[in-house]
Amino acid sequence: MLNRINIEKPDDYFVNLSNRKSKGVYFCRINGYNREIHDFIKKYHEEARLGGVIIEGRLQNPDNNNLEYYNEMMGMDFRMDSEFIRSRLKKWLPRMNDTQCTNVASSVYETLLRLKQSGKNENMLKNTYIKFMCWLYYKFERIVNRLGDDKLPKILYEGDISSYEFLLMQVLSLAGCDILFLQYHGDAEYKKLDSASVISQELRLNGMVPFPDGFSLKRIREEIKETANMQRLFGDKPKYANCTNAWISGNIFNDVRKKPSERGDTREFFYNCFCRMIGVEDKSAYLNELYQLQLELRNSGRNVVILNNMIQPPDSDEINRIHRGSQQSFEHMAAELTANFSFIGNAELKKTAKKVFLELLIEEKNKDDNNLNKLMNKAVYVICLFKRYYKKFFSGWQMPDVSCLLYLGGCKTDNEVLFIKFLSRLPVDVIILEPDLSRKCDFSDAVLFETNNQYSLDVSEYPEDSSGLRVGTAAYHAERELDELLYQDSGIYRQNQYDKANSVILQTMYEEISILWDQELKYRPNFSTADGIVTIPVICSKVSGVKDSDKNAYWVEIKKLITPDTLLVKKIPHILPSAINPIKPYATNFFRNGKVQKKEIRRHECYQYSILRESMQEHLLDKLQMLIDSRIIKGTLENGVEYLIVATVLNLEKDIVRLIQKFDFTKKNPKLIFVMTGENVLSLEDTILTAFLSLVGFDIVFYVPTGYQCIEKFFAKQLVEEHQAGEFLYDMQIPDFNKISSNTRRKLRDIIFKRGT
């Protein structure tokens, strides 16, 4: 029999048994959705259709005809004996070989034995056995002779599974079958059958959301059919594809200036950016920045198109020149429309434009419920504008050229949005500028990168020449000098004034935690700034026991520490060793010869922190090096733990990344609270997370009412300061902190100890 092994990425399902890292089967369930999950389900569906079983809706119980045939062929004998079951399977499912028969029989026997031990009587066991036999024959007969083969059969189950179906799935899994559950309503029903997730693994990826309404395997099949139909329209696949924004640093003006040939080294990609800048950073310098930007781009030989406030809609002459054909079907309409791209001289560019156009049409078709007339109007609009601006964008185009659109003011209509999205998937840098905060366009796109600035400026036209540009006056520069004096060694700090910081752990009394917790860092003991580096005093403490054994006061105390910048962890371990981590395959490349390879990390496609401000990215990578050098985690630089450190640090969850993004080293720092009422201990990944965030500048407190040694396992050195707060209490249930009021009357001794708060 084959045991279940943990999956690292969805495509592991498609690896043959002999090539898997460990010899075993995958048994997973999916409770959420993103585009990667969508594509994986589509691929798995095809595997199950060709060499497995797809179950939509529950397995039907054997009907009278099924039972009569079974009785005629096999009789109704039953013995709670593995050899009896094996012999009956051999007769009932003769296509199975001896090994398969033995494995299935052993799995069925073990399942029945567990049922017997749980209190099921002989008649119940017999009924279960017969149900299994009928299901195996009528639903799974096509795969039983392939169980355990190198190319494992696949089962795809859609919906909430029943208890007896779940038992059969366990049988088939052990006998050598990959299984995947699609649970559109989440994990609640499944957890009633397997509360500890022992039998199957939840497959989770970054950025997953609940399944969209209407998602189903039926819809997947319709999409596959549509894709096959559309393939006939697409024709030959383009040689080149877009790599949009994956390469950018986040400084939009600098990124768009970068030569296309220096943005990446994969020959099959053209590297473009699709960005929106809202507001302005410096009112006086903004117009000059815009002027210099377009001047530099043009001087470098790039094609630049500048549009102001709106894109003039197509006129009647432009529309009449578009061949439309009939609307008898979407495929026919799309074929007629793409014929209009004959004006594109470059063959590869024509293929790319047609592909992008058809993909957008399909997206819009799904949004508008097959309203072909409305879709036709949108498509004609896009083609008209593309013909209008084609020569300005693509005159003399060849790889890896990328032209540039500078659009001041932002999109006003859905048709404009569609045209902008069309351009953004071609060799064009699309930069949308919205300096006036009162006039924002708020369309979204999966790859659109956006920056927000605090100041608003009314700009009616993009400055293409030097007339009307403003430069700094004497008063302006005097104000800047005053600004430097005001924020230099005065105890007053500008927003994000410092780029570098080092944390030091404060040794405190237990009572001081609540006093210091919500203070700005600049008011804490041992805070300092020198040589452009901030010294950050942070809290890293373990609170053992419950003061006065007062559970209510204990929860109120924790509630008071839950600020807007606090992440609360109640489930331990927080990061499971089996959790999907896209960084792991590359960790050995990211740390070599004792050094974190910053450049290689930052240009890699899996790097997730490029959206953070530049200084914060440097801060995180510096602390990663510092964590490894400190060897505070057991096994670092000894048995490969350093690679797990790299993978864990470069795969922080979104909530933590957002806290880091807003972190100003002179103001309030982000917090992390662990509430550990049980016997579980921190995973190695949790320990790495804790040590790293402490170096970054987080306050961290572990509340451990049991006093157990549940955080120390993987620390090689003492990092956490322990406070004995009171009596040890066990089996405490963590409440909903949203329902706890922190406004309680303080006791006299609290007032004495917390005087001044």
Side-chain angles (χ1 to χ4, degrees), residues 294-317:
Q294 59 85 30
L295 193 64
E296 290 179 34
L297 292 175
R298 284 178 166 141
N299 288 341
S300 69
R302 293 178 61 188
N303 295 331
V304 179
V305 177
I306 295 176
L307 299 174
N308 291 297
N309 298 311
M310 69 172 293
I311 302 175
Q312 194 65 34
D315 58 32
S316 57
D317 288 340

Side-chain angles (χ1 to χ4, degrees), residues 168-420:
L168 182 63
M169 292 300 120
Q170 295 177 53
V171 168
L172 292 169
S173 174
L174 289 170
C177 187
D178 285 333
I179 301 175
L180 180 67
F181 289 171
L182 300 183
Q183 302 183 150
Y184 303 144
H185 305 109
D187 230 9
E189 291 299 315
Y190 177 86
K191 286 295 184 68
K192 294 177 182 178
L193 304 173
D194 180 22
S195 59
S197 294
V198 173
I199 306 302
S200 75
Q201 173 189 355
E202 183 181 3
L203 179 55
R204 287 182 288 186
L205 302 179
N206 290 333
M208 290 175 65
V209 298
F211 278 99
D213 292 339
F215 184 90
S216 66
L217 292 179
K218 180 181 178 182
R219 183 69 192 92
I220 287 289
R221 284 192 292 275
E222 292 172 354
E223 185 177 319
I224 293 171
K225 183 179 178 181
E226 288 176 0
T227 301
N229 291 335
M230 294 308 298
Q231 192 61 47
R232 292 191 292 272
L233 297 175
F234 280 94
D236 294 337
K237 184 178 179 181
K239 187 183 296 184
Y240 307 114
N242 62 306
C243 177
T244 304
N245 287 353
W247 55 274
I248 66 175
S249 68
N251 185 320
I252 294 175
F253 287 164
N254 286 345
D255 289 330
V256 75
R257 284 184 173 97
K258 192 169 186 178
K259 293 180 180 179
S261 59
E262 297 175 356
R263 295 176 176 182
D265 52 11
T266 302
R267 302 175 108 186
E268 291 77 19
F269 287 146
F270 54 83
Y271 294 85
N272 70 324
C273 56
F274 184 21
C275 304
R276 178 164 58 196
M277 180 183 289
I278 298 174
V280 301
E281 185 176 4
D282 187 325
K283 291 183 179 181
S284 298
Y286 185 72
L287 291 177
N288 189 50
E289 283 186 298
L290 295 188
Y291 171 70
Q292 294 295 333
L293 176 65
Q294 59 85 30
L295 193 64
E296 290 179 34
L297 292 175
R298 284 178 166 141
N299 288 341
S300 69
R302 293 178 61 188
N303 295 331
V304 179
V305 177
I306 295 176
L307 299 174
N308 291 297
N309 298 311
M310 69 172 293
I311 302 175
Q312 194 65 34
D315 58 32
S316 57
D317 288 340
E318 289 177 308
I319 293 172
N320 290 333
R321 285 196 288 268
I322 304 302
H323 178 68
R324 279 160 287 197
S326 68
Q327 301 175 28
Q328 61 186 16
S329 70
F330 173 77
E331 289 77 12
H332 188 269
M333 182 186 76
E336 295 283 348
L337 287 169
T338 53
N340 289 284
F341 287 97
S342 58
F343 63 88
I344 302 175
N346 184 288
E348 286 303 322
L349 184 60
K350 182 188 293 186
K351 291 178 187 177
T352 302
K354 288 176 66 174
K355 177 179 181 293
V356 170
F357 178 75
L358 289 169
E359 288 173 344
L360 285 176
L361 277 193
I362 293 172
E363 287 182 21
E364 293 300 311
K365 168 179 169 286
N366 294 334
K367 290 180 186 175
D368 291 331
D369 299 324
N370 294 320
N371 187 329
L372 293 186
N373 184 57
K374 187 176 180 180
L375 189 62
M376 172 74 80
N377 293 336
K378 288 183 176 182
V380 169
Y381 183 100
V382 171
I383 297 172
C384 285
L385 293 186
F386 188 48
K387 291 187 72 172
R388 180 195 298 174
Y389 294 109
Y390 169 73
K391 288 186 178 179
K392 293 183 178 181
F393 281 118
F394 298 109
S395 176
W397 180 86
Q398 58 183 0
M399 280 290 288
D401 292 350
V402 174
S403 54
C404 182
L405 169 64
L406 299 170
Y407 186 13
L408 179 70
C411 301
K412 305 297 186 296
T413 68
D414 290 343
N415 286 341
E416 282 187 18
V417 170
L418 191 61
F419 177 61
I420 291 298

Side-chain angles (χ1 to χ4, degrees), residues 100-192:
Q100 292 164 341
C101 215
T102 299
N103 287 341
V104 173
S106 298
S107 299
V108 171
Y109 175 76
E110 289 182 11
T111 300
L112 295 176
L113 186 60
R114 289 197 301 271
L115 290 176
K116 182 177 181 180
Q117 292 168 346
S118 69
K120 303 297 184 185
N121 59 38
E122 188 77 9
N123 191 52
M124 292 177 176
L125 298 178
K126 177 181 178 180
N127 290 339
T128 302
Y129 161 75
I130 293 174
K131 181 180 291 189
F132 282 3
M133 295 290 275
C134 288
W135 278 344
L136 287 170
Y137 182 85
Y138 289 107
K139 191 65 180 179
F140 299 97
E141 197 276 339
R142 66 179 300 215
I143 66 168
V144 292
N145 67 316
R146 296 179 51 239
L147 293 172
D149 284 359
D150 194 43
K151 186 176 178 61
L152 295 174
K154 305 282 188 285
I155 294 176
L156 178 58
Y157 188 102
E158 178 184 57
D160 297 326
I161 196 162
S162 67
S163 58
Y164 283 97
E165 289 175 299
F166 186 49
L167 292 174
L168 182 63
M169 292 300 120
Q170 295 177 53
V171 168
L172 292 169
S173 174
L174 289 170
C177 187
D178 285 333
I179 301 175
L180 180 67
F181 289 171
L182 300 183
Q183 302 183 150
Y184 303 144
H185 305 109
D187 230 9
E189 291 299 315
Y190 177 86
K191 286 295 184 68
K192 294 177 182 178

